[in-house]
Amino acid sequence: YRWYRCDVAETTSLDDTSTAFRSTSLKGALAKASPLQYGCFTPKISKEIVQEMVAIACAKSHRSEFVGIYEAPDKPYKTFIDGSETIHKACLNAVAAYAKLPKDGNLAFRTGTIYYYPTAAEWDQGNRGVKCFSWDSGRTYTRSIKGAGTSVLPVN
């Protein structure tokens, strides 16, 4: 016999992937707006490296927002990791789709990206999902950029 089991668990945060203690079921927890959903963030950055992504309400001043998942192609993990420019471009396209921006030569001048990719162990287990975030070092937002277009994300 073969059988499969799928478990769902809540993690402590984007940066701390340890399992969080829950006293209630996760059933239906993402069916409507929920604190479990990724939204807007204030990244803590040191020497151009993200140290922590602090979740914040989108109505409060922030510089980053979760825009979607890029499903990377199946290739050796080292090849994937060494392709940071490919990952960045894929996440830029995710920002464009999320914010309704044209995918043209100006896209990189409208926004940047932050991304979290699977660990080697997760990759070996088949996880190819890269979490993509918009990133703006020059301006802050007090709303979601979802569907915002070029008026909210003009060329810098």
Side-chain angles (χ1 to χ4, degrees):
Y1 291 97
R2 286 190 151 191
W3 60 277
Y4 296 91
R5 175 179 143 173
C6 296
D7 295 320
V8 178
E10 176 184 349
T11 56
T12 302
S13 72
L14 184 61
D15 299 292
D16 178 358
T17 58
S18 63
T19 303
F21 175 77
R22 287 194 60 88
S23 58
T24 61
S25 171
L26 282 170
K27 184 177 181 179
L30 295 174
K32 57 183 189 250
S34 165
L36 296 176
Q37 294 171 331
Y38 292 147
C40 297
F41 292 86
T42 300
K44 291 185 178 179
I45 299 174
S46 176
K47 298 180 183 173
E48 297 186 18
I49 297 173
V50 176
Q51 304 299 313
E52 182 182 12
M53 292 283 275
V54 180
I56 189 166
C58 288
K60 295 194 176 194
S61 182
H62 63 278
R63 295 184 183 274
S64 185
E65 185 169 346
F66 176 71
V67 298
I69 304 274
Y70 157 58
E71 196 69 28
D74 188 6
K75 58 173 78 172
Y77 188 70
K78 179 160 179 15
T79 304
F80 162 70
I81 295 302
D82 289 345
S84 62
E85 188 58 31
T86 299
I87 299 168
H88 170 66
K89 286 179 181 176
C91 284
L92 269 180
N93 284 333
V95 175
Y98 182 81
K100 297 206 180 331
L101 296 171
K103 293 179 185 178
D104 59 18
N106 288 325
L107 183 57
F109 299 105
R110 295 181 187 282
T111 186
T113 67
I114 292 173
Y115 50 85
Y116 280 63
Y117 48 78
T119 64
E122 291 169 332
W123 188 266
D124 289 345
Q125 294 170 354
N127 180 359
R128 304 289 182 265
V130 177
K131 297 175 190 98
C132 297
F133 301 82
S134 65
W135 161 244
D136 199 314
S137 62
R139 58 186 163 221
T140 60
Y141 303 94
T142 52
R143 58 161 285 182
S144 171
I145 64 165
K146 185 173 185 173
T150 58
S151 62
V152 172
L153 292 149
V155 172
N156 278 330

